[in-house]
Amino acid sequence: MQPGNINKIIFISFCQHFHLYIHAYALLLLARGLTLVQIALIESILIGTIFLMEVPTGVLADRVGRKWSIICSTFLLMCAEFIFIFARDYQWYVLVALLAGTGYAFASGAIEALVYDSLPPENREEAMKRAMGRVNSYGMIAFVIAPIVGGLIIGDAAVENFIPAIALTVVALLVGLLVCLTLREPPIETSEKTESSAALLRAGLYLLYRNRRLRRLALLVVFTLPFTDALAVTLGPPYLARNDVSPFAIGAVLSVGSLLAAFTQRYAFKVEEWLGRDRAIAILILLPGLLYWILAAVAGPIATASVMILMYGCSNMKGPLFSAYQNSLIESKNRATVLSLINMFVSLFLALGAPVYADLAQRSPTMAFAVMGSVIVAAALLLRAHRLPRTEAG
């Protein structure tokens, strides 16, 4: 057991989410001459890179260590932000996306694996719900603080005002990188570490093939994605601006929504305790779809800002619970590999969906949100989210 790792991961997650300009990212690129579809393509390149790098980085995390994977993740994210300061052309933004995508891929399976293996063996599934709730909630708190501070720096979203905001983001990642160096690798038996990369990958694929429970969970994760990041970065800010919400108020919307998300993810396990597992998961999966429908139906600054806050705050409540369910079904020796395989399919779905939704939004934002909501609701009903299969511990 490595209890200190949890608090360090929380701080690292905070630093990785402390983007002082993210609420106005799309406005910056639009001001530099890019179209909404080009911005979405950059997002797709980032997600596509995550897709391609998920499995190699997951295998590396199991072979070399989760600590060093998290170090690589933070370092690459810092490099991407540093280059973003000087980027002016589309090609440079593509390079930033490639670096950031690789950085996120290094973190995706390694963080969950390190957290789970750092918990005491007794009742790990329940402890994981609380631990990942804390990790995710503090990441959301970074989104609470960053848009407010960033909004003061960026002001009216003039292009030159973004430089100090991006530079301070680099500093935050540098601090997170220093904390990464103090992480302790949870003990894994020597025999597990000596398995080849190919053996780890084969074992992970076989587990997903033969374990119906884990496969069902993975499908629910993939096909009921709320697209929160795409909403926050690509579609949300221009839509709010079109509804007469000022750049500073856009940051405030993201900030308040992130504060709500910090609370909902921190206490998502309580919803399960109150309603029971099946009913709670069904509600939490369907909720973002219903909110997208509402967002498509409203107009005006107050209504759109209010619904957007609810979207940011409630769309991924299921995350900590699903993290616990999945990890309870995976062995420690190839935990990062299996999680990366699942995240690879998540990234593929995001990469394919983001430009499609952006193209729809360029023609009709309300149509884009209506379609996004319909996809989530249809997937939840087809996969019968109300009959979530029990984990081994459940």
Side-chain angles (χ1 to χ4, degrees), residues 213-232:
R213 297 169 178 173
L214 183 60
R215 189 170 64 251
R216 187 67 151 307
L217 284 167
L219 288 172
L220 282 169
V221 168
V222 172
F223 291 108
T224 61
L225 281 173
F227 279 85
T228 310
D229 291 339
L231 181 72

Side-chain angles (χ1 to χ4, degrees), residues 41-107:
L41 285 173
I42 292 170
E43 189 73 12
S44 288
I45 290 168
L46 184 148
I47 297 166
T49 304
I50 297 173
F51 168 75
L52 293 173
M53 296 303 294
E54 277 286 4
V55 173
T57 56
V59 172
L60 277 173
D62 285 325
R63 292 275 292 161
V64 179
R66 289 79 191 262
K67 170 184 174 177
W68 291 105
S69 291
I70 297 169
I71 289 172
C72 289
S73 166
T74 310
F75 177 74
L76 288 171
L77 292 174
M78 184 180 69
C79 290
E81 295 293 345
F82 182 76
I83 293 173
F84 195 69
I85 295 174
F86 306 99
R88 294 295 181 272
D89 299 324
Y90 182 77
Q91 292 83 355
W92 283 101
Y93 296 124
V94 169
L95 174 61
V96 169
L98 292 171
L99 287 172
T102 306
Y104 287 126
F106 265 109

Side-chain angles (χ1 to χ4, degrees), residues 211-278:
N211 193 312
R212 184 182 63 86
R213 297 169 178 173
L214 183 60
R215 189 170 64 251
R216 187 67 151 307
L217 284 167
L219 288 172
L220 282 169
V221 168
V222 172
F223 291 108
T224 61
L225 281 173
F227 279 85
T228 310
D229 291 339
L231 181 72
V233 175
T234 308
L235 305 181
Y239 183 65
L240 290 171
R242 193 174 296 148
N243 278 275
D244 300 321
V245 181
S246 69
F248 180 79
I250 291 172
V253 167
L254 179 57
S255 180
V256 175
S258 298
L259 181 62
L260 178 60
F263 177 81
T264 58
Q265 295 210 30
R266 177 72 178 84
Y267 295 103
F269 69 93
K270 291 286 187 183
V271 178
E272 184 190 64
E273 290 178 359
W274 294 334
L275 300 178
R277 175 175 294 183
D278 295 342

Side-chain angles (χ1 to χ4, degrees), residues 12 15 34 53 56 78 87 106 111 123 130 140 154 164-165 257 284 317 331 334 381:
I12 293 164
C15 292
L34 275 68
M53 296 303 294
M78 184 180 69
F106 265 109
I111 284 180
N123 205 17
R130 290 164 172 76
M140 291 298 101
I154 293 168
L284 295 183
M317 284 180 68
E331 293 183 62
N334 64 340
L381 295 177

Side-chain angles (χ1 to χ4, degrees), residues 172-200:
L173 286 164
L174 176 60
V175 174
L177 179 61
L178 296 175
V179 175
C180 288
L181 297 172
T182 69
L183 288 169
R184 293 188 175 184
E185 193 74 46
I188 300 176
E189 292 181 13
T190 305
S191 61
E192 292 177 340
K193 282 194 169 183
T194 56
E195 286 197 40
S196 69
S197 299
L200 288 169

